[in-house]
Amino acid sequence: MKSPVVKRSIVIAGHKTSVSLEDAFWDALKEIAASRRLTLSDLVATIDSSRTQGNLSSAIRLFVLDHYRENAASARSHGHSERSGAGAPVA
């Protein structure tokens, strides 16, 4: 049985390293980098430099999670909802 976690190599700050991520996290990371007009390596270097503990793969997963949580919170605060009738008073 193939593991959903794939080990990938990336160069950050001039040195080659590897991260083990599921395809969904890797794809999301690439989307975030593109939306910020950054290279994948630059985004991962930023994540790497700001982490306080844990391994890089975990830091990337948490970064992606936080990114989408912030987007969801922003959408809610601007009146967008994932379900109809949200925000309506309960009788």
Side-chain angles (χ1 to χ4, degrees):
M1 180 181 197
K2 185 179 176 215
S3 170
V5 177
V6 178
K7 192 172 208 171
R8 295 172 170 91
S9 295
I10 188 164
V11 176
I12 54 172
H15 70 278
K16 188 174 181 179
T17 190
S18 61
V19 293
S20 297
L21 290 172
E22 296 80 3
D23 285 340
F25 282 103
W26 189 253
D27 293 342
L29 188 64
K30 290 191 293 187
E31 289 174 11
I32 295 166
S35 73
R36 295 181 180 191
R37 293 189 169 96
L38 294 171
T39 66
L40 192 58
S41 293
D42 287 342
L43 181 58
V44 173
T46 300
I47 296 166
D48 186 40
S49 67
S50 65
R51 69 183 164 118
T52 56
Q53 60 185 350
N55 63 44
L56 181 56
S57 296
S58 294
I60 291 170
R61 286 185 190 94
L62 292 172
F63 172 84
V64 169
L65 177 64
D66 286 345
H67 173 82
Y68 286 106
R69 279 183 171 168
E70 288 172 10
N71 281 355
S74 178
R76 282 192 301 273
S77 71
H78 288 97
H80 301 113
S81 175
E82 294 177 18
R83 59 184 181 168
S84 61
V90 177

